[in-house]
Amino acid sequence: MVTSYDYPTSTIADAVGVDSILVGDSYGMVVLGYDTTIPVTMEEILPACRAVRRGSTKSLLIGDMPFMSFQVSGEDAVRNAGRFVKEGGMEAVKVEGGRQVAPAVEAISSAGIPVLGHIGVTPQTATLQGGYRVQGKTADDGERLFKDALALEKAGVFGIVLEMVTEETAKLVTETLSVPTIGIGSGRYCNGQVLVLHDVLGLYQKFTPKFAKRYVDLAMPIRDALQRYSQEVRTGSFPGEEHVFRMDTDQRAKLEAKRKT
Ligand code: KIV
């Protein structure tokens, strides 16, 4: 699984056979430039979902429910999840949180919309967790995650993202659940892995988390291309002969004559 928020990258992810594309609320940080994912709204994320839908034919498409789009009431959660499917073209939604979001999960999945859970570090409520801290470091904390995972499974999730959970806890949770786990910073024993696209491509310059692998540093060639472009425009070497459209010579002569009259 990888995140995508636009048509070109979802086309590429789909073409290389990525099983699932997540239109994550990380969109708020890596594309919109917010400091956290908290400000992201339904009105911001739905157009990104539609663009991803247009680029993808095979991958399972999952929309990430923004902070406060599923917490207020079950009715609100179902209505917003429905918007992801009807207006955003998504096939499933993801919600952050442990047992406290089980009623929302139950309501959404009872309405016929598949739900992916997300426990461990939950960026929408990271303040409550004291920041982005690795979860499941102690037996008690591991047990808490275990109980959260089981409550979500009982509520009807089809899988669970484990973010920044110790490898030992993630392995035990994975072995216990009957639904798959998708890890991000949670080690090698999850059933699948997810990364934020801009971390994979080196396009998010503010920071790269320890768990992310940068497969390419695209910021460099982009910077280089834009530098060359602006230089060529300033020096007059772009556009060149090969980029221009021409008029017939008789039309040109007529136009010049018009200018003189
Ligand atoms: O928003 C996001 O990209 C996510 C992934 C990190 C799982 O929730």
Side-chain angles (χ1 to χ4, degrees):
M1 181 186 290
V2 72
T3 68
S4 168
Y5 323 95
D6 58 39
Y7 173 79
T9 60
S10 73
T11 309
I12 297 169
D14 196 71
V16 303
V18 166
D19 288 326
S20 178
I21 296 177
L22 172 70
V23 184
D25 63 355
S26 48
Y27 174 58
M29 296 175 72
V30 301
V31 177
L32 301 181
Y34 296 141
D35 287 335
T36 70
T37 57
I38 290 170
V40 175
T41 64
M42 290 293 296
E43 305 318 319
E44 284 171 328
I45 205 163
L46 284 175
C49 290
R50 287 193 282 273
V52 166
R53 164 82 282 167
R54 289 190 282 270
S56 166
T57 55
K58 298 185 288 291
S59 305
L60 175 73
L61 301 184
I62 304 171
D64 205 0
M65 295 194 69
F67 184 53
M68 283 300 140
S69 68
F70 58 94
Q71 289 92 339
V72 177
S73 68
E75 202 182 305
D76 212 31
V78 173
R79 188 178 305 110
N80 284 321
R83 292 189 71 193
F84 270 97
V85 176
K86 286 177 72 106
E87 299 173 40
M90 298 289 101
E91 289 149 333
V93 294
K94 176 169 85 59
V95 298
E96 281 185 19
R99 67 203 84 162
Q100 76 280 11
V101 304
V105 170
E106 222 169 299
I108 298 168
S109 56
S110 302
I113 300 171
V115 187
L116 181 66
H118 180 160
I119 58 173
V121 165
T122 46
Q124 293 174 2
T125 46
T127 318
L128 277 178
Q129 298 177 322
Y132 286 63
R133 286 162 186 266
V134 177
Q135 306 285 302
K137 279 178 123 172
T138 61
D140 284 350
D141 201 40
E143 192 193 16
R144 174 186 63 82
L145 288 166
F146 225 79
K147 287 187 174 157
D148 279 341
L150 288 170
L152 290 174
E153 182 177 61
K154 194 157 167 255
V157 296
F158 69 88
I160 301 182
V161 169
L162 300 179
E163 180 163 353
M164 282 179 74
V165 172
T166 55
E167 188 171 72
E168 294 83 352
T169 298
K171 184 169 188 283
L172 283 172
V173 170
T174 301
E175 285 166 0
T176 307
L177 293 180
S178 57
V179 295
T181 57
I182 312 289
I184 174 159
S186 298
R188 294 160 288 185
Y189 301 104
C190 295
N191 299 113
Q193 296 288 330
V194 56
L195 280 179
V196 170
L197 181 75
H198 289 54
D199 290 337
V200 174
L201 302 182
L203 279 176
Y204 187 61
Q205 300 289 297
K206 265 190 183 167
F207 64 90
T208 306
K210 166 186 157 77
F211 58 74
K213 182 166 173 184
R214 188 180 276 191
Y215 284 82
V216 61
D217 189 0
L218 280 190
M220 293 291 274
I222 292 174
R223 195 178 301 124
D224 181 51
L226 293 179
Q227 246 163 14
R228 280 173 33 228
Y229 163 61
S230 59
Q231 175 86 354
E232 288 188 7
V233 170
R234 288 198 177 97
T235 58
S237 61
F238 175 82
E241 175 66 29
E242 67 277 30
H243 304 117
V244 303
F245 301 102
R246 295 222 160 268
M247 69 196 303
D248 291 342
T249 40
D250 60 328
Q251 293 298 322
R252 176 181 167 170
K254 275 187 192 163
L255 182 62
E256 281 179 3
K258 276 181 195 291
R259 196 175 53 150
K260 284 178 195 142
T261 55

